[in-house]
């Protein structure tokens, strides 16, 4: 509804020069310097450059706990989460523990509609059916105070591995009474990367365990863990955590395994089901092709499907599961499309009721919304209007459950905390991060959605100004005409881009030679720049453009019938 504000990134000239002197191509040096890279060593993707595990608080205790359980032959049950990060973390832990000598390992994963999120008492009871001695959470548990207490009361040891923020009660940070906790975001942890995904934490726990077992003389030959890095890369990208230098190394190593055909059978099968070429694997494939197929299982079916796909060593079974996940993802897309149409109709009615104005925050509900897709739809609406957005649906248990997505400058979990203080009877529970959160309404009454919308908008009105509510697209200035080549595109594609380390977007003025709609919803363009003709496409854009225009765009290689050609993918205009 509002055009983005285009802002060029600052490039520290001395840093860019220093990177060039280290042998980095001038264009790439400029792009990296603008994203905070200061030294060439930050681009070293070798495993030797990973932050050492010793910096993680709780790692020695967790390593001893796991080593004792393995050497005593105790049963370990992993408590997973129902998103891609949770599924990959579970697969990493299952494979890693067995590789390191565990003989009795199982897992449980909550059903989104039945159990809710995290280590709840009901999930503990489900895990007890496997008669474990030790529960290990992955990608959850740091806020599971009741669940951990329930498990400990039944004689279980509990290891929490997580990356989420701990609970805050009456202004005090509270962590569960677990046997050990590994989480870079727990109080007192000095680990330099606070952006590890849940699967990254799981991988580090395994590194700590291997060191402990090695010190105990458990190995004749020390097992390698790098075979798990394709799973670490997939979960890290899919969870949209910040790609700091450490996460970029983990992702780069995983992508290398995929391109070499050495990924897990399930990962290779997902590439096949998504009709993507694993030999050219990029972060984009993980975030927009493989990740959604794993996530679809948790949204509409059972995440067991995703975990089984990532843990089987049988390529035929992996492919069958990947095809099943692809089918579920197609269903998810259909549900999402219908829900998005309904949500946008609700939004249009809201704008009309406000005489054309947008509230500073949006909360939407429809009786036909599906609880498994509310987060995706909230993200789509947030992208459209650049407002903090919550979308609610009635769950299978009758409760009204919402998922929210936010914009820079608005901490969603803190906003929910303020709403709960101002409206003490409104929220049954809530939690999350700065940019994504969830909430359940206490009464399940539709009128409470309106109460929530008003309270939510009030907080946004207090915290956000007009500039905050205008989407900003940061770009990298003009791409020199002579650099618009396949070689440049391949150079950029070889880098690891993602959240907090965004792929390059260039911006320049063009003369429009021709434009036409393709597929009824994409605008195909022919542009002229400095005497050179360039093909471009603007996906999901149907409005015709003027003859001369400023465009923000990405440089891509378009492949058709075995031929590659440079194409600009338009992101915005001004």
């Amino acid at each position: 509804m509002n055009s983005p504000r285009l802002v060029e990134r600052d490039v520290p000239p001395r840093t860019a020069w220093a990177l060039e002197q280290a042998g980095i191509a001038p264009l790439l040096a400029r792009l990296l310097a603008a994203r905070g890279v200061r030294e060439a060593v930050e681009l070293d993707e070798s495993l030797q450059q990973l932050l050492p595990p010793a910096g993680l608080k709780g790692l020695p205790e967790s390593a001893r706990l796991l080593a004792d359980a393995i050497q005593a032959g105790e049963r370990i049950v992993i408590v997973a989460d129902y998103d891609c990060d949770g599924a990959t973390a579970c697969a990493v832990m299952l494979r890693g523990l067995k590789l390191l000598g565990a003989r009795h390992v199982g897992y449980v994963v909550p059903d989104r509609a039945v159990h809710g999120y995290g280590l709840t008492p009901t999930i503990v009871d489900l895990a007890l059916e496997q008669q474990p001695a030790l529960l290990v959470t992955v990608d959850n548990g740091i806020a599971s105070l009741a669940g951990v207490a329930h498990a400990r009361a039944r004689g279980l040891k509990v290891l929490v591995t997580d990356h989420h923020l701990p609970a805050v009660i009456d202004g005090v940070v509270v962590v569960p009474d677990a046997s050990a906790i590994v989480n870079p975001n727990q109080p007192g942890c000095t680990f330099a990367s606070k952006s590890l995904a849940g699967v990254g934490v799981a991988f580090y726990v395994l590194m700590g365990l291997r060191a402990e077992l090695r010190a105990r003389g458990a190995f004749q030959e020390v097992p390698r863990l790098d075979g798990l890095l394709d799973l670490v890369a997939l979960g890290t990208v899919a969870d949209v955590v910040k790609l700091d230098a450490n996460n970029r190394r983990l992702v780069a190593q995983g992508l290398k395994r995929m391109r070499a055909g050495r990924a897990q059978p399930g990962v290779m099968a997902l590439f096949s089901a998504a009709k993507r070429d694993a030999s050219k694997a990029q972060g984009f494939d993980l975030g927009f092709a493989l990740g959604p197929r794993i996530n679809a299982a948790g949204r509409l079916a059972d995440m067991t499907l995703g975990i089984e796909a990532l843990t089987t060593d049988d390529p035929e079974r992996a492919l069958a599961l990947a095809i099943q996940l692809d089918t579920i993802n197609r269903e998810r897309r259909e549900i999402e499309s219908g829900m998005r149409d309904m949500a946008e109709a609700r939004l249009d009615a809201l704008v009309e009721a406000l005489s054309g104005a947008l509230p500073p925050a949006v909360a939407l509900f429809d009786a036909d919304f599906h609880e498994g897709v509310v987060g995706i739809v909230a993200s789509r609406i947030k992208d459209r209007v650049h407002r903090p957005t919550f979308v609610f649906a009635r769950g299978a248990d009758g409760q009204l459950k919402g998922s929210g997505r936010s914009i820079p400058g608005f901490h969603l979990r803190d906003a929910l905390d303020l709403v709960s203080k101002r409206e003490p009877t409104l929220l049954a529970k809530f939690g999350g991060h700065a940019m994504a959160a969830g909430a359940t309404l206490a009464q399940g009454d539709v009128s409470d959605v309106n109460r929530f919308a008003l309270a939510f908008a009030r907080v946004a009105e207090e915290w956000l100004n007009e500039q905050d509510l205008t989407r900003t697209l940061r770009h990298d200035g003009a791409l020199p005409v002579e650099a618009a080549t396949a070689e440049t595109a391949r150079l950029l594609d070889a880098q690891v881009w993602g959240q907090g380390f965004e792929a390059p977007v260039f911006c320049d003025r063009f003369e429009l030679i021709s434009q036409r709609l393709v597929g009824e919803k994409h605008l195909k363009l022919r542009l002229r720049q400095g005497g050179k003709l360039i093909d471009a496409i603007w996906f999901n854009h149907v409005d015709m453009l003027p003859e001369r225009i400023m465009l923000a765009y990405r440089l891509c290689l378009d492949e058709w019938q075995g031929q590659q050609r440079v194409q600009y993918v338009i992101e915005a205009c001004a």
Side-chain angles (χ1 to χ4, degrees), residues 462-475:
E462 294 168 0
W463 289 4
L464 299 172
N465 58 39
E466 187 175 346
Q467 184 169 308
D468 296 325
L469 295 171
T470 302
R471 184 166 74 94
T472 298
L473 177 61
R474 301 181 72 196
H475 64 83

Side-chain angles (χ1 to χ4, degrees), residues 184-308:
N185 291 301
Q186 68 175 307
C189 184
T190 59
F191 191 68
S193 173
K194 302 298 182 183
S195 301
L196 278 177
V199 67
V201 176
F203 183 72
Y204 265 86
V205 168
L206 291 173
M207 286 198 287
L209 170 60
R210 182 179 62 176
E212 174 68 20
L213 289 170
R214 186 178 186 178
R216 296 185 185 192
F219 305 126
Q220 290 185 338
E221 183 177 342
V222 180
R224 295 181 62 92
L225 297 174
D226 55 350
L228 303 172
L229 285 168
D230 57 324
L231 297 172
V232 177
L234 173 55
T236 297
V237 173
D239 211 46
V240 203
V241 293
K242 180 182 178 182
L243 290 188
D244 58 17
N246 204 58
N247 277 340
R248 292 200 305 277
R249 291 185 185 105
L250 292 171
V251 172
Q253 288 290 331
L255 288 172
K256 283 182 181 178
R257 299 193 68 85
M258 295 172 197
R259 292 167 187 157
R262 293 187 291 123
Q264 312 296 337
V267 172
M268 300 303 290
L270 285 166
F271 271 101
S272 179
K275 296 181 171 54
R276 299 290 179 113
D277 186 351
S279 69
K280 300 175 182 176
Q282 299 177 27
F284 187 87
D285 297 310
L286 308 187
F288 293 93
L290 276 65
R293 283 163 172 80
I294 295 289
N295 276 327
R299 295 185 186 282
L300 301 186
D302 182 352
M303 187 47 89
T304 300
L305 288 171
I307 295 170
E308 292 296 317

Side-chain angles (χ1 to χ4, degrees), residues 65 80 98 101 221 434 450:
L65 191 66
K98 290 174 182 177
E221 183 177 342
N450 295 328

Side-chain angles (χ1 to χ4, degrees), residues 1 347-362 385 387:
M1 284 191 175
L347 181 65
D348 291 341
L350 176 63
V351 171
E352 185 177 348
L354 294 173
S355 302
L358 267 172
V362 173
V385 300
R387 298 289 194 274

Side-chain angles (χ1 to χ4, degrees), residues 5 15 23 40-42 51 129-130 140 146 153 156 239 251 257 279 283 297 301 355 362 366 420 431 524 544 560:
R5 187 167 55 101
T15 303
V41 69
E42 295 178 50
L51 292 171
E129 295 176 8
Q130 299 184 38
N140 74 91
L156 298 180
D239 211 46
V251 172
R257 299 193 68 85
S279 69
S355 302
V362 173
D366 190 285
S420 72
K524 185 72 173 173
M544 294 294 161
W560 176 251

Side-chain angles (χ1 to χ4, degrees), residues 284-406:
F284 187 87
D285 297 310
L286 308 187
F288 293 93
L290 276 65
R293 283 163 172 80
I294 295 289
N295 276 327
R299 295 185 186 282
L300 301 186
D302 182 352
M303 187 47 89
T304 300
L305 288 171
I307 295 170
E308 292 296 317
L310 298 175
T311 52
T312 182
D313 291 320
D314 180 349
E316 289 187 13
R317 174 162 168 73
L319 184 58
L321 288 166
I323 291 171
Q324 192 173 351
L325 290 169
D326 182 65
T327 301
I328 296 169
N329 191 52
R330 291 175 190 273
E331 180 187 354
R332 186 271 304 169
R333 283 202 298 258
E334 290 178 9
I335 293 172
E336 178 197 335
S337 178
M339 266 184 66
R340 184 176 177 179
D341 289 344
M342 287 189 285
E344 290 191 343
R346 291 270 180 183
L347 181 65
D348 291 341
L350 176 63
V351 171
E352 185 177 348
L354 294 173
S355 302
L358 267 172
V362 173
L364 303 171
F365 166 78
D366 190 285
D368 292 326
F369 283 176
H370 190 295
E371 68 173 305
V373 190
V374 287
I376 299 177
V377 174
S379 181
R380 301 289 188 264
I381 297 297
K382 180 268 298 180
D383 288 344
R384 178 188 169 194
V385 300
H386 197 69
R387 298 289 194 274
T389 300
F390 250 88
V391 176
F392 286 88
R394 191 167 300 279
D397 56 4
Q399 292 185 301
L400 285 174
K401 301 174 183 178
S403 185
R405 298 294 183 270
S406 195

Side-chain angles (χ1 to χ4, degrees), residues 94 421 487 489:
L94 283 168
K421 288 180 170 63
E487 182 182 9

